[in-house]
Amino acid sequence: DADLHKFRPGTLLSPEWFVQNLSSGLGVIVPYAIAGLATRKALTSVGTRFEANSALGKLCNSKSAAMILGATVYDGLRKPGEDQSRLGNAFGATVGFSFFEYANHRTAKLTGAQFLLSRMLIGSVGAMSQHSVSHVIATGHMPKGEHLLNAALSGSMMNVVLPKVSDKLHDWTT
């Protein structure tokens, strides 16, 4: 039966909705981590041509710049979904990941529950910004509130896990 395997979004705030959106946040971790790693390796290679303390040298050796650029390239190249465009996805990723990197850096010294809650909040705000920018560029209007809630929950999960996965992946390949 074809309907048995058809995706059915969970009702807003239902247990299914939470599982689907948390899973969505986990599902994007590997592609973003790989994109960030590949970009980091490429930038580091280019960066060897510049003095380490020069502006270009610092940019090429920046983990944050690599994650932002990697996410921008990945989202700009992937097949757009409904109400998306490659340009919107790329700009959205630039905005969202810039916020993730900046805010994560500013809160890096927090510990315990404060750290976890800050990462979740940063992920929510960054993902809603990313989704909004992408949607506005593709359609000319803001996304529905329910779609922003989906992005917020997925982003909260992603921003808790992605930085650690990205760091571990980098460590394993160096």
mmCIF file of all heavy atoms in Angstrom, residues 103-104 106-122 159-160:
data_model
loop_
_atom_site.group_PDB
_atom_site.id
_atom_site.type_symbol
_atom_site.label_atom_id
_atom_site.label_comp_id
_atom_site.label_asym_id
_atom_site.label_seq_id
_atom_site.Cartn_x
_atom_site.Cartn_y
_atom_site.Cartn_z
ATOM 1 N N ALA A 103 26.988 33.832 17.968
ATOM 2 C CA ALA A 103 26.363 33.647 19.284
ATOM 3 C C ALA A 103 26.992 32.478 20.045
ATOM 4 O O ALA A 103 27.169 32.561 21.265
ATOM 5 C CB ALA A 103 24.855 33.449 19.128
ATOM 6 N N ASN A 104 27.340 31.400 19.356
ATOM 7 C CA ASN A 104 28.007 30.278 20.029
ATOM 8 C C ASN A 104 29.352 30.718 20.601
ATOM 9 O O ASN A 104 29.731 30.313 21.706
ATOM 10 C CB ASN A 104 28.201 29.105 19.076
ATOM 11 C CG ASN A 104 26.922 28.347 18.797
ATOM 12 O OD1 ASN A 104 25.912 28.510 19.475
ATOM 13 N ND2 ASN A 104 26.960 27.512 17.779
ATOM 14 N N ARG A 106 30.141 33.753 21.562
ATOM 15 C CA ARG A 106 29.889 34.658 22.696
ATOM 16 C C ARG A 106 29.461 33.914 23.960
ATOM 17 O O ARG A 106 29.617 34.439 25.059
ATOM 18 C CB ARG A 106 28.821 35.691 22.323
ATOM 19 C CG ARG A 106 29.167 36.585 21.151
ATOM 20 C CD ARG A 106 30.180 37.604 21.469
ATOM 21 N NE ARG A 106 29.637 38.520 22.454
ATOM 22 C CZ ARG A 106 30.306 39.508 22.988
ATOM 23 N NH1 ARG A 106 31.541 39.729 22.643
ATOM 24 N NH2 ARG A 106 29.749 40.279 23.886
ATOM 25 N N THR A 107 28.885 32.727 23.812
ATOM 26 C CA THR A 107 28.383 31.978 24.974
ATOM 27 C C THR A 107 29.214 30.730 25.267
ATOM 28 O O THR A 107 28.802 29.893 26.071
ATOM 29 C CB THR A 107 26.912 31.573 24.746
ATOM 30 O OG1 THR A 107 26.823 30.770 23.564
ATOM 31 C CG2 THR A 107 26.022 32.796 24.609
ATOM 32 N N ALA A 108 30.372 30.613 24.652
ATOM 33 C CA ALA A 108 31.182 29.386 24.751
ATOM 34 C C ALA A 108 31.635 29.060 26.177
ATOM 35 O O ALA A 108 31.875 27.895 26.495
ATOM 36 C CB ALA A 108 32.398 29.489 23.843
ATOM 37 N N LYS A 109 31.742 30.051 27.038
ATOM 38 C CA LYS A 109 32.250 29.803 28.390
ATOM 39 C C LYS A 109 31.167 29.390 29.379
ATOM 40 O O LYS A 109 31.457 29.078 30.534
ATOM 41 C CB LYS A 109 33.007 31.023 28.904
ATOM 42 C CG LYS A 109 34.287 31.239 28.116
ATOM 43 C CD LYS A 109 35.118 32.365 28.649
ATOM 44 C CE LYS A 109 36.389 32.435 27.811
ATOM 45 N NZ LYS A 109 37.099 33.634 27.951
ATOM 46 N N LEU A 110 29.920 29.376 28.938
ATOM 47 C CA LEU A 110 28.844 28.905 29.821
ATOM 48 C C LEU A 110 29.010 27.410 30.051
ATOM 49 O O LEU A 110 29.625 26.710 29.254
ATOM 50 C CB LEU A 110 27.477 29.184 29.191
ATOM 51 C CG LEU A 110 27.106 30.656 28.994
ATOM 52 C CD1 LEU A 110 25.768 30.765 28.277
ATOM 53 C CD2 LEU A 110 27.051 31.386 30.324
ATOM 54 N N THR A 111 28.442 26.931 31.141
ATOM 55 C CA THR A 111 28.537 25.502 31.451
ATOM 56 C C THR A 111 27.167 24.950 31.825
ATOM 57 O O THR A 111 26.230 25.704 32.126
ATOM 58 C CB THR A 111 29.513 25.254 32.631
ATOM 59 O OG1 THR A 111 29.032 25.959 33.782
ATOM 60 C CG2 THR A 111 30.927 25.697 32.289
ATOM 61 N N GLY A 112 27.079 23.634 31.824
ATOM 62 C CA GLY A 112 25.887 22.942 32.297
ATOM 63 C C GLY A 112 24.616 23.339 31.571
ATOM 64 O O GLY A 112 24.583 23.476 30.354
ATOM 65 N N ALA A 113 23.569 23.542 32.358
ATOM 66 C CA ALA A 113 22.253 23.850 31.799
ATOM 67 C C ALA A 113 22.265 25.182 31.050
ATOM 68 O O ALA A 113 21.587 25.310 30.025
ATOM 69 C CB ALA A 113 21.205 23.876 32.906
ATOM 70 N N GLN A 114 23.034 26.161 31.538
ATOM 71 C CA GLN A 114 23.109 27.445 30.832
ATOM 72 C C GLN A 114 23.673 27.264 29.431
ATOM 73 O O GLN A 114 23.187 27.856 28.469
ATOM 74 C CB GLN A 114 23.965 28.446 31.603
ATOM 75 C CG GLN A 114 23.288 29.033 32.805
ATOM 76 C CD GLN A 114 24.170 30.088 33.441
ATOM 77 O OE1 GLN A 114 25.389 29.973 33.481
ATOM 78 N NE2 GLN A 114 23.537 31.134 33.954
ATOM 79 N N PHE A 115 24.703 26.438 29.311
ATOM 80 C CA PHE A 115 25.305 26.178 28.006
ATOM 81 C C PHE A 115 24.294 25.499 27.080
ATOM 82 O O PHE A 115 24.090 25.923 25.941
ATOM 83 C CB PHE A 115 26.553 25.300 28.163
ATOM 84 C CG PHE A 115 27.212 24.935 26.862
ATOM 85 C CD1 PHE A 115 28.044 25.832 26.215
ATOM 86 C CD2 PHE A 115 26.988 23.704 26.285
ATOM 87 C CE1 PHE A 115 28.644 25.512 25.017
ATOM 88 C CE2 PHE A 115 27.591 23.368 25.082
ATOM 89 C CZ PHE A 115 28.419 24.275 24.443
ATOM 90 N N LEU A 116 23.660 24.441 27.570
ATOM 91 C CA LEU A 116 22.690 23.698 26.767
ATOM 92 C C LEU A 116 21.529 24.590 26.333
ATOM 93 O O LEU A 116 21.153 24.611 25.153
ATOM 94 C CB LEU A 116 22.163 22.490 27.547
ATOM 95 C CG LEU A 116 21.122 21.636 26.844
ATOM 96 C CD1 LEU A 116 21.688 21.017 25.580
ATOM 97 C CD2 LEU A 116 20.600 20.563 27.792
ATOM 98 N N LEU A 117 20.976 25.346 27.268
ATOM 99 C CA LEU A 117 19.849 26.223 26.937
ATOM 100 C C LEU A 117 20.258 27.330 25.968
ATOM 101 O O LEU A 117 19.486 27.692 25.072
ATOM 102 C CB LEU A 117 19.237 26.802 28.204
ATOM 103 C CG LEU A 117 18.498 25.791 29.082
ATOM 104 C CD1 LEU A 117 18.082 26.434 30.396
ATOM 105 C CD2 LEU A 117 17.298 25.206 28.357
ATOM 106 N N SER A 118 21.467 27.871 26.132
ATOM 107 C CA SER A 118 21.917 28.919 25.201
ATOM 108 C C SER A 118 22.074 28.347 23.797
ATOM 109 O O SER A 118 21.675 28.971 22.817
ATOM 110 C CB SER A 118 23.220 29.568 25.669
ATOM 111 O OG SER A 118 24.320 28.708 25.497
ATOM 112 N N ARG A 119 22.632 27.137 23.685
ATOM 113 C CA ARG A 119 22.777 26.506 22.365
ATOM 114 C C ARG A 119 21.420 26.240 21.729
ATOM 115 O O ARG A 119 21.241 26.409 20.525
ATOM 116 C CB ARG A 119 23.575 25.206 22.464
ATOM 117 C CG ARG A 119 25.058 25.393 22.640
ATOM 118 C CD ARG A 119 25.667 26.022 21.385
ATOM 119 N NE ARG A 119 27.015 26.452 21.577
ATOM 120 C CZ ARG A 119 28.087 25.784 21.205
ATOM 121 N NH1 ARG A 119 27.970 24.622 20.624
ATOM 122 N NH2 ARG A 119 29.284 26.283 21.412
ATOM 123 N N MET A 120 20.462 25.820 22.527
ATOM 124 C CA MET A 120 19.121 25.557 21.994
ATOM 125 C C MET A 120 18.470 26.853 21.515
ATOM 126 O O MET A 120 17.878 26.901 20.434
ATOM 127 C CB MET A 120 18.267 24.856 23.041
ATOM 128 C CG MET A 120 18.725 23.436 23.331
ATOM 129 S SD MET A 120 17.870 22.661 24.717
ATOM 130 C CE MET A 120 16.266 22.391 23.966
ATOM 131 N N LEU A 121 18.585 27.901 22.321
ATOM 132 C CA LEU A 121 17.996 29.195 21.946
ATOM 133 C C LEU A 121 18.680 29.768 20.705
ATOM 134 O O LEU A 121 18.014 30.238 19.775
ATOM 135 C CB LEU A 121 18.088 30.183 23.111
ATOM 136 C CG LEU A 121 17.512 31.574 22.842
ATOM 137 C CD1 LEU A 121 16.032 31.500 22.497
ATOM 138 C CD2 LEU A 121 17.740 32.468 24.051
ATOM 139 N N ILE A 122 19.993 29.723 20.678
ATOM 140 C CA ILE A 122 20.747 30.210 19.519
ATOM 141 C C ILE A 122 20.343 29.419 18.269
ATOM 142 O O ILE A 122 20.124 29.994 17.198
ATOM 143 C CB ILE A 122 22.264 30.111 19.778
ATOM 144 C CG1 ILE A 122 22.682 31.118 20.851
ATOM 145 C CG2 ILE A 122 23.061 30.295 18.482
ATOM 146 C CD1 ILE A 122 24.049 30.848 21.456
ATOM 147 N N ASN A 159 21.993 22.879 16.664
ATOM 148 C CA ASN A 159 23.033 23.710 17.253
ATOM 149 C C ASN A 159 23.620 23.124 18.534
ATOM 150 O O ASN A 159 24.697 23.521 18.948
ATOM 151 C CB ASN A 159 22.519 25.132 17.516
ATOM 152 C CG ASN A 159 23.648 26.094 17.742
ATOM 153 O OD1 ASN A 159 24.597 26.146 16.967
ATOM 154 N ND2 ASN A 159 23.553 26.868 18.803
ATOM 155 N N VAL A 160 22.942 22.175 19.124
ATOM 156 C CA VAL A 160 23.520 21.478 20.278
ATOM 157 C C VAL A 160 24.534 20.441 19.796
ATOM 158 O O VAL A 160 25.610 20.287 20.369
ATOM 159 C CB VAL A 160 22.419 20.808 21.137
ATOM 160 C CG1 VAL A 160 23.020 19.867 22.169
ATOM 161 C CG2 VAL A 160 21.569 21.873 21.826
#
